Amino acid sequence: MRLPNGEEAAEPDDSVLAARAAEGDDDAFAALVHRHSAPLLALAYHMLGNLPDAEEAVQDAFLRAWRSLPGFRGDAAFGTWMYRVVTNRCLTVLRVRPPSVPLDSVPEAAARDASGEPERAAESDAATHALAAALGRLRPDQRACWILRELHGLSYAEIAQVVGMSEPTVRGRLFRARRTLTQEMAGWR
């Protein structure tokens, strides 16, 4: 946003936008949706394994957030709160029904070798699919902790807030997830 003097105005932070949205400001909520949609969709995709289910989970999470914003106390950052809403929605979907598509794909293709060797590209694709399949075999709570830490870079404290567990429990889930993935991926070393 440009000010009359030609300078760029700073974008309001999430807490300001959340407060405005809680008061009924549709534009503030739209700004929050725009700001957080991509990482939340990536989280849901990694949790559920397919784009239609991920999009539905994120849409449902934003709808729940819109309805719950008047009661949002700001104990956690808006982004952390939304990670929790999306994670809980994904865990519910996983409990109610199995994923409609096996978790044998990831949204981003593996980095290609600059030399263009077909063997390396095929090996990289196979390793990516093997990792995705191994992630799909993790317990949903372990998968959520691993995705939030390794793919989204959340701290242990933030993950604990998102999944509603203590930090030691999160650390334990991550330890078990990493150990399982290391064992399952041993052939790819």
Side-chain angles (χ1 to χ4, degrees):
M1 171 189 224
R2 195 165 289 283
L3 296 174
N5 64 2
E7 293 180 16
E8 285 289 320
E11 289 290 321
D13 69 6
D14 284 355
S15 61
V16 171
L17 291 172
R20 288 182 189 165
E23 295 170 354
D25 184 341
D26 293 342
D27 292 334
F29 190 70
L32 288 168
V33 169
H34 178 73
R35 188 176 288 174
H36 294 280
S37 288
L40 293 173
L41 184 59
L43 167 65
Y45 182 86
H46 284 102
M47 289 289 300
L48 299 173
N50 68 72
L51 192 56
D53 285 350
E55 290 172 335
E56 183 177 332
V58 172
Q59 181 177 359
D60 185 51
F62 275 120
L63 181 59
R64 289 171 191 247
W66 175 250
R67 291 178 182 152
S68 301
L69 265 175
F72 178 62
R73 298 183 315 268
D75 295 340
F78 178 82
T80 303
W81 181 59
M82 283 305 302
Y83 270 113
R84 182 176 189 145
V85 175
V86 171
T87 299
N88 286 341
R89 182 68 190 124
C90 291
L91 291 172
T92 298
V93 168
L94 290 170
R95 272 192 302 272
V96 172
R97 62 183 162 78
S100 58
V101 176
L103 289 171
D104 63 352
S105 62
V106 293
E108 302 170 55
R112 302 280 186 233
D113 182 58
S115 67
E117 297 174 22
E119 298 85 13
R120 284 195 182 238
E123 185 177 311
S124 178
D125 285 345
T128 299
H129 288 291
L131 176 59
L135 276 172
R137 289 188 291 273
L138 290 176
R139 286 185 13 200
D141 57 339
Q142 291 176 359
R143 185 182 328 145
C145 290
W146 190 89
I147 289 168
L148 290 167
R149 178 68 179 170
E150 302 301 335
L151 300 182
H152 292 268
L154 271 62
S155 70
Y156 294 117
E158 290 170 322
I159 296 169
Q161 283 184 327
V162 168
V163 297
M165 300 174 188
S166 68
E167 277 190 62
T169 302
V170 167
R171 289 177 187 275
R173 301 277 159 79
L174 279 168
F175 172 79
R176 285 188 288 286
R178 289 172 177 150
R179 182 181 60 201
T180 300
L181 292 174
T182 299
Q183 290 169 349
E184 292 205 21
M185 298 301 292
W188 291 96
R189 290 185 186 190

